Amino acid sequence: MNVTLNNVRLSFPALWEARKGPDANSKASYQAAFLLDKKDNAKDIEAVKAAIAAITKDTFKGKQPPKIALRDGSEKPDVDGYGEGVMFINARSDKRPHVVGRKMEQLSPDDGIPYAGCYVNATIRLWGQDNQYGKRINAQLRAVQFVKKGDSFGEGDIDISKEFKPLDNEEDAI
């Protein structure tokens, strides 16, 4: 089931190069987390919950599996952007997602957008996993559209003038 998330914050993006997960046996994948404000993104949260309910009914005979893609931000209170008023979805894909700008132009890493903390629209596909690796509802990353700037998560760029002082004495040069 495909779902579009509108004007959500992007976190932990690996949109240009596949990244391995924390598990040593994990396969490298393209991935991102999408943060949904419980008030501002209430319609998107309801759409995701409706898809989860349909998958639960069809794949798991009405019994929700122990792990689902939609989680509460309070699970990660010490991570930038997460917390009480937020839900989040981790999505991944073996195939590189489409990444476009506001006017549907293809973006590249050199464009500097999107980045962790900006706002994006995203399409994901929710699906039920029921195999030897467990029962869960996962999210596949399909496409990302940059919407607008937001405060960057993490340390962000550094001001090099606050990191070092100019070296004036040529005699000390190596």
Side-chain angles (χ1 to χ4, degrees):
M1 300 197 129
N2 294 339
V3 177
T4 299
L5 307 174
N6 298 289
N7 201 30
V8 297
R9 294 203 67 193
L10 179 64
S11 183
F12 298 107
L15 304 174
W16 312 112
E17 289 185 35
R19 176 174 58 207
K20 286 190 83 148
D23 180 4
N25 297 325
S26 68
K27 181 179 171 185
S29 63
Y30 299 93
Q31 50 195 286
F34 301 103
L35 309 181
L36 295 85
D37 183 276
K38 289 181 180 178
K39 292 179 184 169
D40 296 341
N41 301 109
K43 287 183 182 179
D44 294 325
I45 292 170
E46 287 308 311
V48 171
K49 286 181 177 180
I52 289 169
I55 293 166
T56 297
K57 180 181 177 190
D58 294 344
T59 305
F60 302 105
K61 297 179 178 69
K63 185 176 182 196
Q64 186 169 299
K67 294 184 179 181
I68 61 170
L70 181 66
R71 296 168 48 196
D72 197 283
S74 63
E75 292 179 28
K76 298 183 176 194
D78 298 328
V79 179
D80 282 354
Y82 294 70
E84 288 296 323
V86 173
M87 301 291 289
F88 70 97
I89 297 174
N90 291 322
R92 39 187 321 136
S93 178
D94 293 338
K95 182 179 173 186
R96 188 166 90 63
H98 293 277
V99 183
V100 298
R102 293 179 55 83
K103 296 180 180 172
M104 299 298 292
E105 72 278 16
Q106 292 292 320
L107 296 176
S108 76
D110 294 337
D111 294 312
I113 56 173
Y115 56 88
C118 76
Y119 290 84
V120 298
N121 295 330
T123 58
I124 59 173
R125 183 179 73 85
L126 294 162
W127 59 281
Q129 172 186 318
D130 186 4
N131 58 26
Q132 72 270 21
Y133 301 109
K135 295 181 182 205
R136 59 178 60 197
I137 297 177
N138 297 312
Q140 177 189 4
L141 178 59
R142 295 173 43 84
V144 176
Q145 180 184 32
F146 175 78
V147 173
K148 65 182 179 179
K149 294 180 179 180
D151 291 336
S152 181
F153 292 147
E155 185 175 348
D157 286 340
I158 61 170
D159 180 349
I160 198 69
S161 68
K162 293 181 179 175
E163 300 291 317
F164 302 113
K165 301 280 185 233
L167 301 174
D168 294 326
N169 187 349
E170 289 294 320
E171 293 173 14
D172 293 337
I174 298 175

